[in-house]
Amino acid sequence: MDCDALKIFHGGTVLTLDPRLPLVEAVAVKGGTIAAAGSLAACRQALDSPYEAVDLKGGTLVPGFCDTHMHPIPTIYYTMSCNLSGVRDLGELLDRLTGASHGKGPESWIVGLNFDEQAMASPRLPDRYDLDRVSGERPVIVIRHDGHSVIANSAAMNRAGITPETPTPRGGAIDRDGHGAPLGIFREHAISLILDHLSLPTLDELLKAGKNTFDAMLGQGITSLGLILESDTNGTIGAFDIPAMELLRPVIRQSLCSFIITGDISALERAGASLCRDPRDRIAGLKIIADGTFGSCTAAMDEPFSDRPGETGFMLLGDDALYRLMTEAHTAGWQIAVHAIGDRANRTCLKLFERLLREHPRPDHRHRIEHASIMDAPMLRAARELGLVLSVQPMFIHSDMPYLARRIGHERMADTYPFRSMLDAGIPLAASSDSPVETSSVLAAIECAVTREGYVPSQAITPLEAIGMYTLGAAYAQFEEHIKGSITPGKRADLVLLGDNPLTARPEDIHAIPVLKTFIAGDLVYSR
């Protein structure tokens, strides 16, 4: 990067996201840092040397976007596999998987991703016998849209050693027929029984797909990322995450802040030694998965799912095990990020955070709840009082719309994805894609947070607030508000030039606003 270049950006709208000076005429950049933001004259004076004038040509300049929660290796793998998005029936599903097998060697697995049975005319998950119609000899698996359920054919189950005697792991579920034989549907912790045997890409395949993946995010204005990585020493597929990211780091332009999924807190220090050789990178702390999802009916709920009487989902960890992990990370000085979707899961996490901070007080911890999908007013008050940060995913609304009212019932809808109530409660809010679960398009997510596509419109937020979740809010969630998140002198010159102003565009058109240019530390890294 040419971080010594002097530049002045002007000729358009500049949304600084700095409440002290929200709109400015120009921005001066020196040494990769914002030197001034104000009038054009003030910016010229701040440089007092020959500079490059960057004409915004009527566009809108905003701080670089930060996606605070995404899974890099699954996202890369997604680009290399069969996309099952929009499948309308079983026949189309099988046709796509069969087509994906062409040109693959006999030992290669056929992997279908982004499958959502709720989009089918007659919603149901396929089973092993359905997928056997694609191939009886080659392993075939389908990974559900939310990543919390996997369907395997008989060959994949044989490769994984699955038999009727295979026990169901704690925190998981294996669907079985009336005789106890596995039907090929694995949920939550049981999915590793299949995925741990999945063939991995070659180094060349990984590097090529990885560069393309992160470059595409530059084209969406994403200048920094919050990664979710696994660290597993038991030979499972999660052990691939950190070595893969170490190999990929030279082709990634964004700065990286990582949470590690592990049962061994010492793995966080080891991850830092492997991954933080770039001074812009850091290991934030521990990621814990407390429950499942609405789509897989595994989110831990206080009351049964409306369309599944008697089913309330489940916690993946008992309270004692969850609290032990939280305590070990907290007392070691790490940040904690807990996945919680169901109301019972969120209530449990709040109770454990309250106990943790009572027994082990620590100021400015910024512990996070990832998703926080159902939270009523008392839970939001508790989150605010505990100093928690909530990391939300606006595109979940888009994906869950076809079935969510049926699954949770109308009474619980008002407390689901309650972004307006979260902000009004004074809770710091960051946003993300959870990629590959959702698209990494920040502008699509901003639109969804603003329009909510009609889902409980009283919980809508403004375009400025939605942009804030991907800038200032994201920076705060990562303890990096002093170096990014707004166009403020002294912060890194991570900037995005948009073709229109999201504050004045029709809300329904925000997703279509083009990203024209992306700058990291003042260096042009993407141009449309």
Side-chain angles (χ1 to χ4, degrees):
M1 292 186 180
D2 185 13
C3 293
D4 294 328
L6 306 180
K7 295 180 180 179
I8 291 182
F9 298 80
H10 68 96
T13 301
V14 180
L15 303 178
T16 68
L17 271 291
D18 185 334
R20 297 167 299 182
L21 194 64
L23 285 169
V24 298
E25 180 185 10
V27 179
V29 172
K30 180 179 182 180
T33 300
I34 298 167
S39 68
L40 181 57
C43 287
R44 286 170 172 162
Q45 185 176 10
L47 297 185
D48 195 28
S49 297
Y51 61 86
E52 176 189 352
V54 181
D55 187 355
L56 303 180
K57 298 181 179 179
T60 297
L61 194 70
V62 298
F65 298 136
C66 175
D67 185 327
T68 58
H69 177 133
M70 60 86 63
H71 303 261
I73 305 306
T75 297
I76 294 166
Y77 204 82
Y78 173 88
T79 67
M80 304 166 66
S81 303
C82 177
N83 183 3
L84 299 176
S85 175
V87 163
R88 296 299 176 185
D89 55 43
L90 182 62
E92 184 180 357
L93 170 69
L94 301 182
D95 286 346
R96 288 202 200 178
L97 291 170
T98 301
S101 69
H102 296 155
K104 289 183 177 288
E107 293 300 310
S108 298
W109 289 51
I110 303 170
V111 180
L113 297 172
N114 207 27
F115 172 67
D116 187 354
E117 79 282 1
Q118 298 297 330
M120 296 170 65
S122 299
R124 76 167 179 89
L125 289 177
D127 58 28
R128 64 186 296 182
Y129 305 109
D130 294 318
L131 299 189
D132 284 349
R133 294 160 60 184
V134 177
S135 177
E137 297 77 33
R138 186 185 311 206
V140 179
I141 65 170
V142 168
I143 301 176
R144 197 186 179 279
H145 168 75
D146 57 15
H148 287 246
S149 295
V150 169
I151 306 98
N153 75 340
S154 298
M157 291 172 61
N158 291 338
R159 189 75 62 90
I162 304 296
T163 70
E165 287 70 42
T166 299
T168 300
R170 179 178 175 83
I174 300 174
D175 291 18
R176 301 175 188 266
D177 65 19
H179 303 287
L183 288 168
I185 300 171
F186 301 81
R187 306 176 196 265
E188 302 305 336
H189 284 173
I191 68 176
S192 63
L193 298 175
I194 297 296
L195 294 186
D196 286 349
H197 299 270
L198 187 63
S199 58
L200 297 174
T202 67
L203 177 60
D204 287 344
E205 289 171 337
L206 176 70
L207 289 174
K208 180 180 179 180
K211 185 177 189 310
N212 291 341
T213 297
F214 289 102
D215 283 354
M217 292 180 186
L218 294 175
Q220 294 164 330
I222 297 173
T223 57
S224 54
L225 291 161
L227 306 184
I228 307 298
L229 301 170
E230 291 192 49
S231 175
D232 197 311
T233 57
N234 297 319
T236 64
I237 195 170
F240 181 63
D241 275 15
I242 291 176
M245 284 305 302
E246 194 172 359
L247 291 170
L248 286 166
R249 188 62 186 98
V251 303
I252 300 172
R253 308 296 292 270
Q254 293 92 343
S255 58
L256 308 176
C257 176
S258 302
F259 281 91
I260 311 298
I261 301 172
T262 181
D264 177 7
I265 302 303
S266 66
L268 302 180
E269 291 285 357
R270 293 195 298 273
S274 297
L275 296 177
C276 297
R277 297 172 184 177
D278 186 311
R280 299 175 302 148
D281 299 345
R282 58 185 289 266
I283 302 297
L286 177 69
K287 166 73 184 299
I288 306 172
I289 304 177
D291 72 336
T293 66
F294 294 138
S296 290
C297 291
T298 50
M301 307 292 289
D302 286 326
E303 300 294 335
F305 294 107
S306 300
D307 60 347
R308 299 280 189 95
E311 293 189 28
T312 57
F314 51 87
M315 298 290 289
L316 304 191
L317 295 170
D319 287 7
D320 289 345
L322 182 54
Y323 186 67
R324 177 187 61 80
L325 280 173
M326 293 169 69
T327 302
E328 289 180 3
H330 174 80
T331 55
W334 296 106
Q335 195 176 5
I336 301 167
V338 184
H339 162 123
I341 285 185
D343 47 7
R344 176 157 56 97
N346 279 286
R347 207 179 310 278
T348 297
C349 290
L350 289 167
K351 177 187 69 175
L352 295 179
F353 272 126
E354 189 279 330
R355 176 185 169 191
L356 178 70
L357 295 169
R358 174 168 35 86
E359 295 180 354
H360 306 281
R362 189 177 112 198
D364 198 26
H365 51 80
R366 303 191 197 179
H367 294 322
R368 293 167 36 170
I369 295 182
E370 308 297 299
H371 314 309
S373 299
I374 295 188
M375 278 197 167
D376 60 19
M379 284 195 274
L380 293 176
R381 285 196 296 273
R384 177 67 185 93
E385 290 168 2
L386 292 168
L388 300 180
V389 176
L390 302 182
S391 173
V392 301
Q393 295 70 39
M395 291 305 290
F396 279 10
I397 296 172
H398 171 80
S399 295
D400 291 354
M401 277 281 286
Y403 71 91
L404 193 55
R406 181 175 71 251
R407 179 132 303 164
I408 67 171
H410 289 280
E411 289 186 6
R412 290 182 280 197
M413 286 173 59
D415 295 327
T416 307
Y417 308 127
F419 303 156
R420 175 79 273 147
S421 295
M422 290 171 171
L423 287 173
D424 289 348
I427 300 171
L429 212 57
S432 70
S433 63
D434 200 10
S435 177
V437 175
E438 303 293 348
T439 172
S440 54
S441 170
V442 174
L443 289 165
I446 288 171
E447 176 180 311
C448 204
V450 172
T451 68
R452 295 181 65 89
E453 300 186 10
Y455 182 87
V456 192
S458 61
Q459 290 292 349
I461 62 177
T462 69
L464 185 61
E465 290 169 330
I467 295 171
M469 295 195 301
Y470 285 93
T471 52
L472 268 180
Y476 180 85
Q478 296 182 347
F479 283 92
E480 294 181 327
E481 71 275 16
H482 61 292
I483 58 171
K484 66 183 184 184
S486 65
I487 300 177
T488 301
K491 293 190 179 183
R492 193 167 61 220
D494 293 353
L495 307 167
V496 179
L497 178 60
L498 304 176
D500 199 357
N501 186 343
L503 307 192
T504 57
R506 285 192 342 131
E508 298 80 8
D509 294 335
I510 293 175
H511 74 280
I513 294 175
V515 173
L516 301 180
K517 297 180 186 297
T518 301
F519 300 84
I520 292 180
D523 188 45
L524 180 66
V525 294
Y526 168 82
S527 182
R528 185 181 174 90

